[in-house]
Amino acid sequence: MKYAILLSYDGTNYRGWQTQKNGISVQSVLEGAAYAAFGKKVNIVASGRTDSGVHAAGQVCHFSADIAVPAEKIADALNFRLPPDISVLKSVAAPAEFDSNRSAKQKTYCYRMYVARREHPLKSRYAVAVYPRPDIGLMREGARLFCGVHDFKAYCASGSSAKTTVREVFSVGVRAAFSRGCDDIEIEVCGGGFLYNMVRTMAGTLLFLGQGRLTLSDIKNSLELGERALVGKTMPAKGLTLEIVDYGFDLFGSE
Amino acid sequence: MKYAILLSYDGTNYRGWQTQKNGISVQSVLEGAAYAAFGKKVNIVASGRTDSGVHAAGQVCHFSADIAVPAEKIADALNFRLPPDISVLKSVAAPAEFDSNRSAKQKTYCYRMYVARREHPLKSRYAVAVYPRPDIGLMREGARLFCGVHDFKAYCASGSSAKTTVREVFSVGVRAAFSRGCDDIEIEVCGGGFLYNMVRTMAGTLLFLGQGRLTLSDIKNSLELGERALVGKTMPAKGLTLEIVDYGFDLFGSE
């Protein structure tokens, strides 16, 4: 039987999704919980890797196993063996051909910042303090330049093994809201797939644009020429969250 | 010289504001940082104690000290010696008669919940999962009953040393917003002062009302008769945040 799970984790204490030689990964903890729950080794495949320190609100995974637990009870069986910073929100039986990675049609990431000269302990776990205040209107103009099919070579960490650096970005939204004495800024990026560090580098580029350290022309040129020197810094992992993975059908049903 | 500081902390790892015999308090860590920064013992007074595990977005403290550091630099001098879950957001010179506790005119607390059968790791640090879904309209009706001057004896933890259990509540707001697959509920309580556990017990009572486990009459009677049996449970500390302390003048200025 094939199963799909909707997974959320606080990435602070993990070296990313994938099992690594040093440091604990979300995958290894989850597979450990599955082994304890089902009494057999299970290989759990995610929609994609998340980097060290990146969070997930709606990661999707699949696995195949011959187990007696009803599909909808798998979530509780796993949660019983998981630490509080990893939780299975839903579990369902999946179509035989379903593959959480290859079947994914669209992914939504959100990068969070707040405008402050000093760290706010209640914001800093999932967002990054930035200063000075960026121009949100300008960031929105820059965001539009990313939409469509582009070669994101300039936004890809060196050493990536991707076959092509061409990706399609469906939308990039920039939201600002005032809370607790300062502005929160959210950059929501929706696309077919992303290169290693791509969303974090897009976020840093939009920030630099809003702060006047880069221009709209720089962004246009970075996409045309693929030059790393024209883009902003790769922002810290803790501000990034994988929000939604979309498969073109309602995999988990509604509550 | 008298100084005032605007302080934020993630209460997860502390046994509340006040220095305790066992466990680390926010006060003891802050006074330790002040000793390291100024080379002298400083007694730091907060607007009020927060309980073990309760957070603060805008706690206000004062202290008197004969130090050479300019008032606005005190924040950075302290932050340099503070862990990431405690941060001084602003520091100013305060009027000689200013007392962060006795001068406070109004405090705003926020209690956060989300409607879910399973814990969400990215919500559960600062909010509590509740199920089944409460009726928000009914919670708002109940919230209105708390406004005004009442004897909150039924909402006070036993063993409190308060001289009187009469308090004035200025407003109670109930907000709901959908995020990441479930409803977030915020109960914002604004008042002249609060008894030990009062806001957490008010939040539990509004939740029980919304879930049909208590009635509007129960709340009316709890305020008239002071009977503990008529109120809901005291909600967990982690959902509570001290948001704002108001002194009737702009103590910290605007950024």
Side-chain angles (χ1 to χ4, degrees):
Chain A
M1 271 290 285
K2 189 167 269 187
Y3 300 95
I5 59 173
L6 181 67
L7 186 74
S8 177
Y9 44 88
D10 178 325
T12 307
N13 298 319
Y14 298 95
R15 290 187 66 91
W17 164 260
Q18 198 177 43
T19 301
Q20 302 286 337
K21 274 174 202 154
N22 46 8
I24 303 168
S25 73
V26 176
Q27 185 187 18
S28 62
V29 172
L30 190 59
E31 289 184 347
Y35 185 78
F38 310 134
K40 47 189 86 175
K41 272 198 152 183
V42 175
N43 178 37
I44 301 182
V45 179
S47 72
R49 303 174 197 173
T50 51
D51 294 341
S52 186
V54 172
H55 315 290
Q59 173 69 285
V60 176
C61 309
H62 80 263
F63 61 93
S64 295
D66 179 22
I67 51 177
V69 184
E72 65 277 14
K73 300 279 184 197
I74 287 174
D76 294 323
L78 291 172
N79 288 336
F80 183 67
R81 278 105 178 163
L82 285 169
D85 53 6
I86 302 178
S87 179
V88 179
L89 304 180
K90 291 181 184 176
S91 54
V92 293
E97 69 279 10
F98 178 77
D99 182 299
S100 59
N101 176 254
R102 275 173 279 181
S103 309
K105 298 265 186 287
Q106 182 177 301
K107 285 182 194 170
T108 304
Y109 278 92
C110 188
Y111 199 90
R112 292 181 170 78
M113 314 172 185
Y114 59 100
V115 182
R117 273 180 298 180
R118 299 188 176 111
E119 296 275 340
H120 283 45
L122 297 179
K123 297 188 178 203
S124 65
R125 196 171 179 93
Y126 307 118
V128 170
V130 299
Y131 200 86
R133 178 185 307 280
D135 179 327
I136 303 292
L138 198 52
M139 290 176 76
R140 287 192 179 126
E141 281 188 64
R144 279 195 289 272
L145 299 177
F146 288 126
C147 298
V149 178
H150 298 284
D151 185 342
F152 285 94
K153 195 173 117 188
Y155 294 82
C156 175
S158 58
S160 162
S161 60
K163 282 176 208 155
T164 165
T165 50
V166 174
R167 290 290 184 278
E168 181 169 9
V169 169
F170 303 134
S171 68
V172 183
V174 181
R175 282 191 295 264
F178 188 80
S179 86
R180 290 173 169 164
C182 67
D183 273 324
D184 295 328
I185 300 174
E186 293 187 355
I187 301 175
E188 192 184 76
V189 184
C190 184
F194 299 97
L195 298 162
Y196 183 55
N197 278 356
M198 176 172 153
V199 178
R200 287 158 61 185
T201 311
M202 287 169 65
T205 301
L206 291 179
L207 172 67
F208 276 23
L209 173 72
Q211 290 177 332
R213 301 156 76 181
L214 285 174
T215 65
L216 288 167
S217 301
D218 290 331
I219 298 186
K220 276 181 209 152
N221 289 334
S222 73
L223 294 170
E224 277 164 28
L225 308 174
E227 267 185 42
R228 196 82 178 79
L230 297 168
V231 310
K233 72 164 178 174
T234 300
M235 298 290 284
K238 69 174 185 174
L240 186 63
T241 304
L242 170 60
E243 296 284 345
I244 302 168
V245 186
D246 197 337
Y247 294 92
F249 70 100
D250 192 0
L251 180 60
F252 293 102
S254 49
E255 187 99 353
Chain B
M1 271 287 285
K2 188 167 271 188
Y3 300 96
I5 59 173
L6 182 66
L7 185 74
S8 177
Y9 45 87
D10 179 325
T12 308
N13 298 319
Y14 298 96
R15 289 186 65 93
W17 163 260
Q18 198 178 41
T19 301
Q20 303 286 335
K21 275 174 202 155
N22 46 9
I24 303 169
S25 74
V26 177
Q27 184 186 19
S28 62
V29 172
L30 190 60
E31 289 183 348
Y35 185 78
F38 310 134
K40 47 188 86 175
K41 271 199 154 184
V42 174
N43 178 37
I44 300 181
V45 180
S47 71
R49 303 174 196 176
T50 50
D51 294 341
S52 185
V54 172
H55 316 290
Q59 173 70 283
V60 176
C61 309
H62 81 263
F63 62 92
S64 296
D66 179 20
I67 51 178
V69 185
E72 64 278 13
K73 300 278 183 198
I74 288 175
D76 294 324
L78 291 173
N79 287 338
F80 183 67
R81 278 103 179 165
L82 285 170
D85 53 5
I86 302 178
S87 179
V88 180
L89 304 180
K90 292 182 182 174
S91 54
V92 293
E97 69 279 11
F98 178 77
D99 182 298
S100 58
N101 175 255
R102 274 172 280 181
S103 308
K105 298 265 186 290
Q106 184 176 301
K107 286 182 194 171
T108 303
Y109 278 93
C110 189
Y111 198 90
R112 291 181 171 78
M113 315 172 185
Y114 59 100
V115 182
R117 274 179 298 180
R118 299 189 176 109
E119 296 275 340
H120 282 47
L122 297 179
K123 298 190 177 200
S124 66
R125 197 172 178 93
Y126 306 119
V128 169
V130 300
Y131 200 87
R133 177 185 308 279
D135 178 328
I136 302 293
L138 197 53
M139 288 175 76
R140 288 193 179 127
E141 281 187 63
R144 278 196 288 274
L145 299 177
F146 288 125
C147 299
V149 178
H150 298 284
D151 185 342
F152 285 92
K153 195 173 119 188
Y155 294 83
C156 176
S158 57
S160 162
S161 59
K163 281 177 209 155
T164 163
T165 50
V166 173
R167 291 290 183 279
E168 181 168 10
V169 169
F170 302 134
S171 67
V172 184
V174 181
R175 281 190 296 265
F178 188 80
S179 87
R180 291 173 169 164
C182 67
D183 273 325
D184 295 329
I185 300 173
E186 294 186 355
I187 301 174
E188 193 184 76
V189 184
C190 184
F194 298 97
L195 298 162
Y196 183 57
N197 277 357
M198 178 172 151
V199 178
R200 288 158 62 186
T201 310
M202 286 169 66
T205 301
L206 291 180
L207 173 67
F208 276 23
L209 173 72
Q211 291 177 331
R213 299 157 77 181
L214 285 173
T215 65
L216 288 166
S217 301
D218 289 331
I219 298 186
K220 276 181 209 154
N221 289 334
S222 73
L223 294 170
E224 277 164 27
L225 309 174
E227 269 184 40
R228 196 82 178 80
L230 297 169
V231 310
K233 72 164 179 175
T234 301
M235 297 291 284
K238 70 173 185 175
L240 186 64
T241 304
L242 170 60
E243 296 285 345
I244 302 167
V245 186
D246 196 338
Y247 293 93
F249 70 102
D250 194 0
L251 180 61
F252 293 103
S254 49
E255 188 100 353

